Amino acid sequence: MIYHLGLLSEYLKNYMKTRLTYRADFWVEVLSDLLFQVTNLIFIFVIFMHTNSLAGWSQNEVVFVYGFFMVPWGVFACFVNMWNFSERYIVKGEMDRILTRPAHNLFQIFLENVDPPALIGSLIGLLIMAVSGLNLGLPFEWWTVPALILLTISATAIYMGIYTTLTALSFYSDAPTGIIPLMYNIQSYGRYPVTIYNRAIQVLLTWILPFAFVGVYPAGLFLQREEMTRMALLTPVMGAIFVSIGLFVWNRGVRKYKGAGS
Amino acid sequence: MLEAYFDFIRIRFLTMLAYRLNYYTGILIYSLNIGVNYFTWKAIYGQGESLGGFTAAQMTTYVAVSWMARAFYFNNLDREISTDIRDGSIAIQFIRPYNYVFAKMMQGLGEGMFRFLLFMIPGMALAMLLFPVQLPHDPAAWAGFLVMLFFSFLINSQINIITGLLAFFVENNEGLMRMKRVVVDLFSGLIIPISLFPGWMSSILKLLPFQAITYLPGSVFTGRVQGVGIWNVFGIQIIWFAILLIPLFWLYRAARQRLFVQGG
């Protein structure tokens, strides 16, 4: 554990050095992340200009859910960044280098791609939760902060499980898979009250690609939505299950890796 | 010379064909996107009859048509160009006897043709099975839509190429490319039809090129937004195509003078 934390701090130092070389780009990236979040908020605001409630959820509630959604997403994007995995590690054969080192290969890949600016999104998510929570008059209980931390970790684990599984597919197919960019759109639907969807999509977003567990269910706990409390409490279980699936598929996939001849 | 450019189309088409398996998942995922959007709009409509000039049925069609149009016009030219710039292979391509930008456009077209035949058409068929989509019966509407779709492709590709070429000036344009993708999806009317935005915002969006990619063709094809005729849309699309050529060529020229290879 200490060894891994040591590695993390070394990589972060390295990250700071590379980043300070391209300073302008750093701010462009932070800005573009924020803009992405702003456009999603715009969507919510535009919707509520035309309706007062979305399947029984008010604007402040939907915004609150969005705020929560941003928190684990920022943590995930910071520590588990695999967007270019296939091109960088498989096509160019960099996986060879990773596999010759002592730390676990997946952990190294996470380390090489840490992206701290993503955490700014989490901070803004907390801010959004605070503002809309105040508007709604939500009580601040003794368990609010611990629950927030636990649910954030669980939601991050769900993301990690799903994306690790999908990324591991590139060990099996020789072509770069186009699934991940497409997934990008779907994950955002978990932040709307899932009850608006039909049964099939609800099942999909709950059990197969459980993106409802990274947004609406855990947020329902803080919003004191009775019908979602049970699901919210299930979030850590889902996190554990999906992370295990992800690691299992990944470890099997790595054995398939043959290296790129060059 | 023209033959060489046709080869760019053909080769890209064949390359995409070799990797076609990826696109079967794409069709499913796009259908899912349509589904989720469909249910979101259904919840928004509730009992309401019409929003921003769209009835609930027209909104369904609009969502399906817009996503499937995106299946056609979408490409990653921005990423390809910035990769060429970053690994230095653009230097070689610049000295070859063809116009780099034009060649990229042709490759995009090859990809577009592939996406049209193996992604958009089967995807549309699936979407029509799953959701109450109502397409027009008038052949003129179809012909018009195809032409508009082609211009959507041109304008979107121009924006992509401009974003890609900017890598000459900001070195690492990853953030810029992500920002562009988000802006295009939102401001083109893919996620929300522009007529639903608040007045001041939709009047700004009407001055930008993005609406010509999704919103205008989609509105005409679904038929119901008042005051947007086919010829109007053609006009707007052609104007934007022409205007975007200016920064495109300016950037291309500036880039050729600025070229410095970052290793590789």
Side-chain angles (χ1 to χ4, degrees):
Chain A
M1 190 65 193
I2 293 190
Y3 167 68
H4 286 105
L5 282 178
L7 279 182
L8 178 64
S9 87
E10 287 302 316
Y11 270 97
L12 282 175
K13 272 185 223 154
N14 243 338
Y15 172 87
M16 291 315 287
K17 283 182 212 151
T18 32
R19 250 359 192 13
L20 290 174
T21 342
Y22 293 112
R23 234 168 286 201
D25 181 58
F26 176 85
W27 291 109
V28 172
E29 202 168 300
V30 171
L31 210 76
S32 74
D33 276 351
L34 293 184
L35 197 80
F36 176 63
Q37 314 297 354
V38 170
T39 57
N40 289 319
L41 283 173
I42 292 178
F43 181 67
I44 295 173
F45 290 131
V46 170
I47 282 181
F48 280 98
M49 288 174 58
H50 299 279
T51 176
N52 290 324
S53 94
L54 194 60
W57 293 60
S58 71
Q59 173 166 346
N60 270 314
E61 286 175 308
V62 175
V63 170
F64 183 90
V65 174
Y66 190 68
F68 176 82
F69 167 85
M70 284 176 75
V71 178
W73 172 249
V75 177
F76 167 73
C78 169
F79 293 107
V80 187
N81 191 332
M82 302 189 284
W83 307 128
N84 291 321
F85 175 77
S86 175
E87 288 129 64
R88 180 167 167 195
Y89 293 94
I90 304 234
V91 178
K92 293 211 176 121
E94 283 205 40
M95 197 68 197
D96 295 351
R97 175 173 58 81
I98 300 285
L99 289 174
T100 54
R101 292 180 180 174
H104 187 265
N105 52 67
L106 185 60
F107 182 65
Q108 288 183 61
I109 288 164
F110 291 162
L111 281 181
E112 289 190 355
N113 295 293
V114 279
D115 188 27
L119 287 177
I120 294 177
S122 297
L123 291 179
I124 293 186
L126 289 174
L127 198 73
I128 292 175
M129 281 171 82
V131 172
S132 52
L134 278 178
N135 285 344
L136 288 164
L138 290 182
F140 194 89
E141 311 275 356
W142 64 268
W143 50 262
T144 306
V145 172
L148 187 63
I149 295 172
L150 177 69
L151 291 174
T152 303
I153 295 173
S154 315
T156 311
I158 292 175
Y159 277 127
M160 183 180 146
I162 296 174
Y163 280 97
T164 309
T165 308
L166 291 175
T167 310
L169 293 180
S170 43
F171 288 118
Y172 296 92
S173 124
D174 48 348
T177 50
I179 302 177
I180 288 185
L182 292 166
M183 201 55 73
Y184 211 75
N185 288 309
I186 294 174
Q187 69 189 22
S188 49
Y189 301 125
R191 60 174 200 256
Y192 299 115
V194 280
T195 35
I196 65 175
Y197 305 128
N198 81 347
R199 202 70 207 124
I201 294 184
Q202 280 187 41
V203 168
L204 180 94
L205 284 175
T206 306
W207 305 115
I208 302 170
L209 297 167
F211 288 126
F213 281 103
V214 304
V216 67
Y217 290 149
L221 184 71
F222 303 107
L223 288 169
Q224 300 181 312
R225 289 246 161 198
E226 305 274 313
E227 76 275 20
M228 298 215 160
T229 314
R230 239 182 51 219
M231 289 311 228
L233 297 176
L234 210 60
T235 313
V237 180
M238 291 299 279
I241 294 175
F242 273 79
V243 134
S244 315
I245 296 176
L247 287 176
F248 176 75
V249 176
W250 179 271
N251 285 331
R252 288 195 59 116
V254 169
R255 272 186 254 153
K256 282 254 175 193
Y257 174 74
K258 289 192 210 69
S262 68
Chain B
M1 192 58 223
L2 216 58
E3 254 172 69
Y5 289 111
F6 281 122
D7 279 338
F8 280 119
I9 302 180
R10 192 173 59 87
I11 292 167
R12 177 58 68 93
F13 185 91
L14 293 174
T15 318
M16 301 294 291
L17 203 61
Y19 293 140
R20 65 185 169 280
L21 238 134
N22 284 333
Y23 283 83
Y24 299 138
T25 52
I27 292 170
L28 286 177
I29 290 172
Y30 264 59
S31 306
L32 193 67
N33 270 318
I34 294 173
V36 173
N37 273 294
Y38 165 71
F39 290 112
T40 313
W41 285 113
K42 227 169 103 170
I44 297 166
Y45 271 91
Q47 307 302 320
E49 294 290 298
S50 145
L51 290 182
F54 288 92
T55 65
Q58 281 158 0
M59 187 60 91
T60 308
T61 310
Y62 177 87
V63 168
V65 168
S66 302
W67 274 96
M68 283 309 156
R70 186 184 194 269
F72 163 67
Y73 67 67
F74 184 88
N75 57 44
N76 279 319
L77 290 182
D78 50 349
R79 175 141 291 140
E80 289 172 30
I81 293 172
S82 71
T83 309
D84 283 353
I85 292 172
R86 215 170 314 159
D87 67 16
S89 72
I90 200 163
I92 309 292
Q93 302 204 46
F94 269 176
I95 56 173
R96 285 188 187 146
Y98 55 70
N99 179 298
Y100 176 74
V101 168
F102 196 55
K104 276 284 166 232
M105 199 69 154
M106 291 296 121
Q107 289 178 343
L109 188 58
E111 184 172 338
M113 283 159 69
F114 167 84
R115 284 168 158 272
F116 183 80
L117 291 173
L118 280 103
F119 192 163
M120 182 179 165
I121 290 179
M124 200 66 210
L126 186 65
M128 288 181 70
L129 280 177
L130 294 174
F131 311 107
V133 178
Q134 292 163 345
L135 296 177
H137 301 292
D138 184 8
W142 282 90
F145 182 65
L146 288 179
V147 180
M148 287 187 280
L149 204 56
F150 182 66
F151 273 99
S152 301
F153 160 79
L154 287 178
I155 294 169
N156 183 55
S157 303
Q158 284 178 311
I159 293 172
N160 278 350
I161 292 173
I162 289 170
T163 317
L165 285 176
L166 281 175
F168 271 113
F169 304 91
V170 287
E171 268 124 79
N172 182 351
N173 62 344
E174 185 61 36
L176 213 63
M177 288 192 291
R178 258 191 279 169
M179 184 144 47
K180 185 228 67 187
R181 180 182 288 202
V182 171
V183 165
V184 169
D185 280 354
L186 184 72
F187 291 173
S188 70
L190 175 73
I191 299 173
I192 315 171
I194 288 174
S195 58
L196 261 69
F197 280 101
W200 61 273
M201 214 170 156
S202 63
S203 48
I204 295 174
L205 292 180
K206 279 176 184 155
L207 298 174
L208 296 174
F210 309 109
Q211 54 156 350
I213 300 174
T214 308
Y215 174 66
L216 293 178
S219 311
V220 171
F221 196 56
T222 41
R224 306 297 175 237
V225 172
Q226 310 297 314
V228 215
I230 282 195
W231 295 110
N232 249 332
V233 176
F234 282 153
I236 294 170
Q237 287 188 316
I238 290 169
I239 289 170
W240 275 114
F241 175 71
I243 293 177
L244 287 172
L245 286 176
I246 301 166
L248 195 66
F249 279 101
W250 181 79
L251 267 176
Y252 178 59
R253 269 197 37 195
R256 294 184 67 121
Q257 275 153 22
R258 229 189 105 93
L259 173 66
F260 64 94
V261 178
Q262 306 181 55

